[in-house]
Amino acid sequence: MSTPGRTGDTGQGLELTPFRGLRYVPERVGSLSAVTSPPYDVVVRPDGLRHLETADPYNIVRLILPQAATAADRHRQAAETLRRWQEERILAPDPEPALYVYEQRGDGILQRGLIGALRLSPREEGVVLPHEDVMPHIVEDRAALMRGTAANLEPLLFSYRGDAGPGGAAEVIDRVITTAPLLSTTTDDGYAHRLWSITDPADLAAIGADLSRQQALIADGHHRWATYLRLRAEQPAPGPWDFGLVLLVDTARYPLRVRAIHRLLHRLPVAEALAAVGDAFRVRTLGDSLPQALDALAEAKDKDDNAFVLAGDGSFHLLESPDPELLARTVPGDRPEAWRTLDATVLHSVLLEHIWHVPDDPEHIGYIHETAAAVRQAERHGGTAVLMHPVREDVVRELAEQGVTMPRKSTSFGPKPATGLVLRSLALD
């Protein structure tokens, strides 16, 4: 096994290349904060989508989540919108290729990293480590959007473990942030964002030499990474499709925050879910306070127990202490212990497949990042929200280094980069 954050002895690590960033022209939009968006899969539809669409006529959500009657129409509309915005100089390319230092500050977090075009590599090379499976229909949708726009519209979030010593990427970043940024804005969530460009050949060489010894964990963006790989396979090589837009964060200096992704079971009412559980888990009804329910969930997890909170009927119900014999019978035994004891593994193998018989498809299961939103939607539509506890980053990395993927949508790393601050048009490469 390779050392965490490092490639093997081949020296073939991360290759992050400069590109001509496509950015909003500040004078042409209401404000930079009004044209940004969370990543496409975090926007809570439909309320969140409507809010962003009305924030500014040029909000980036019109590119990442275009609205039309059919998928083909949506992708054509996004391509036409991107073309028109460039013709009208709503978006304009930077004068020369650059890597970008990106900073986010808020909610007690300071995060800095490098945005660039990362050379694509398959999993077997051990340079980029995925930790979650993907859903084919999402990859197909993102692929059609990227084909139509010929652009990487939002950076993926990757993490790596840099050296503690001086020099390399860290030294360049520390020096660059003392200069005036290209842009500075604060978004509605209270986060402050700043962006700088790096064009000096010596700085780019220092970053390149440092990253060439590193491997990265996909923190957020598995579907878009799978999309990058799929589109590269369709294109003649070499070319711009050999690279994809990412944000690389050195978590030795700037640790990421890990949150859970909750499940919304559209067609399963809470009463039916609880009745089906029977004696498979110990069930406690907790009342109607979300903070207290989350505290109870955290306490159950402190005992190294698989635990979930069900919501949707006006109360919260804690499921804990699953039957060991049931776990042994239903959880696949050909994976490492760390995988077999994951909450997401137990949820999908035991509850969804064995007890509730809920298919893992969009018609039956939604994936929601924000806890209160998951509860609201379950109560509004008569379904069940399954509230999860986050997985520790060291567990995620340990499994990824072993080549073991977690059930999809097991984790939410953050803070995620704001979408709309810098885009990559493949036509400019």
Side-chain angles (χ1 to χ4, degrees):
M1 183 187 305
S2 59
T3 302
R6 295 232 168 249
T7 59
D9 296 332
T10 64
Q12 299 300 312
L14 301 171
E15 182 183 339
L16 193 69
T17 64
F19 69 102
R20 289 181 68 193
L22 189 63
R23 298 191 294 113
Y24 281 99
V25 177
E27 296 78 15
R28 301 284 287 147
V29 297
S31 69
L32 288 176
S33 63
V35 295
T36 62
S37 162
Y40 80 99
D41 59 338
V42 181
V43 176
V44 179
R45 300 185 230 190
D47 295 346
L49 185 60
R50 282 195 293 267
H51 170 75
L52 292 167
E53 286 180 327
T54 57
D56 189 282
Y58 301 113
N59 189 281
I60 193 69
V61 78
R62 287 180 167 79
L63 298 181
I64 63 171
L65 288 174
Q67 299 300 293
T70 68
D73 287 343
R74 289 195 299 272
H75 303 139
R76 280 194 294 268
Q77 179 176 300
E80 170 60 24
T81 300
L82 179 60
R83 181 195 61 77
R84 187 176 70 253
W85 286 1
Q86 291 181 81
E87 288 179 352
E88 298 173 357
R89 288 195 60 79
I90 305 301
L91 293 166
D94 284 335
E96 58 183 318
L99 295 180
Y100 297 86
V101 176
Y102 176 50
E103 177 188 274
Q104 292 167 280
R105 188 189 296 266
D107 195 22
I109 288 180
L110 171 63
Q111 178 173 286
R112 295 189 182 114
L114 292 166
I115 294 178
L118 184 69
R119 179 173 291 278
L120 306 183
S121 59
R123 174 187 300 189
E124 53 268 23
E125 290 185 6
V127 176
V128 173
L129 305 175
H131 69 269
E132 289 184 358
D133 295 327
V134 297
M135 292 177 267
H137 73 281
I138 296 180
V139 175
E140 174 57 38
D141 178 74
R142 293 295 101 182
L145 180 65
M146 287 190 203
R147 281 192 211 99
T149 58
N152 300 153
L153 301 173
E154 43 189 343
L156 286 57
L157 177 60
F158 282 24
S159 72
Y160 72 100
R161 304 286 293 179
D163 294 324
E171 183 176 289
V172 174
I173 290 172
D174 288 345
R175 179 163 27 84
V176 167
I177 61 170
T178 65
T179 65
L182 291 174
L183 64 85
S184 178
T185 189
T186 300
T187 45
D188 288 346
D189 57 7
Y191 275 85
H193 307 260
R194 295 197 293 174
L195 193 75
W196 297 261
S197 66
I198 303 173
T199 58
D200 180 82
D203 288 342
L204 295 173
I207 291 170
D210 186 356
L211 295 181
S212 70
R213 304 189 303 272
Q214 309 291 346
Q215 62 183 178
L217 176 73
I218 302 178
D220 185 69
H222 284 81
H223 289 89
R224 285 166 288 169
W225 182 254
T227 300
Y228 288 168
L229 293 173
R230 175 172 176 169
L231 293 177
R232 183 188 67 170
E234 298 175 0
Q235 304 295 326
W241 295 93
D242 292 344
F243 299 82
L245 186 64
V246 305
L247 165 64
L248 275 176
V249 175
D250 178 0
T251 53
R253 305 184 79 215
Y254 302 105
L256 297 177
R257 176 177 288 172
V258 188
R259 290 178 168 160
I261 301 177
H262 310 295
R263 274 60 170 166
L264 178 62
L265 311 183
H266 301 298
R267 298 186 175 185
L268 182 67
V270 174
E272 292 182 19
L274 292 172
V277 167
D279 296 330
F281 286 74
R282 185 166 69 233
V283 180
R284 285 194 288 141
T285 298
L286 304 171
D288 59 2
S289 169
L290 177 57
Q292 290 179 11
L294 295 178
D295 287 344
L297 180 60
E299 290 173 8
K301 290 303 300 174
D302 285 342
K303 297 182 294 186
D304 287 330
D305 205 0
N306 293 117
F308 313 92
V309 166
L310 305 190
D313 63 350
S315 297
F316 296 95
H317 311 272
L318 179 68
L319 274 56
E320 59 182 340
S321 302
D323 178 3
E325 292 185 3
L326 177 62
L327 295 180
R329 196 166 66 248
T330 56
V331 175
D334 59 348
R335 303 287 184 91
E337 176 75 9
W339 182 89
R340 288 186 284 113
T341 56
L342 288 169
D343 283 341
T345 298
V346 172
L347 172 63
H348 284 259
S349 297
V350 180
L351 285 167
L352 293 176
E353 294 179 18
H354 181 76
I355 293 177
W356 292 331
H357 307 290
V358 174
D360 191 1
D361 60 48
E363 186 177 339
H364 292 86
I365 303 179
Y367 293 85
I368 300 181
H369 294 73
E370 208 273 311
T371 310
V375 175
R376 283 196 304 269
Q377 291 201 33
E379 292 179 343
R380 183 179 303 166
H381 301 293
T384 296
V386 182
L387 307 184
M388 311 279 288
H389 195 268
V391 183
R392 299 193 316 274
E393 182 181 357
D394 60 325
V395 173
V396 176
R397 189 174 291 274
E398 174 191 344
L399 288 171
E401 288 167 358
Q402 296 178 60
V404 177
T405 55
M406 301 165 64
R408 50 183 170 247
K409 298 295 182 182
S410 293
T411 60
S412 176
F413 284 88
K416 304 179 191 302
T419 298
L421 295 181
V422 58
L423 290 63
R424 175 178 175 248
S425 170
L426 278 69
L428 298 172
D429 284 12

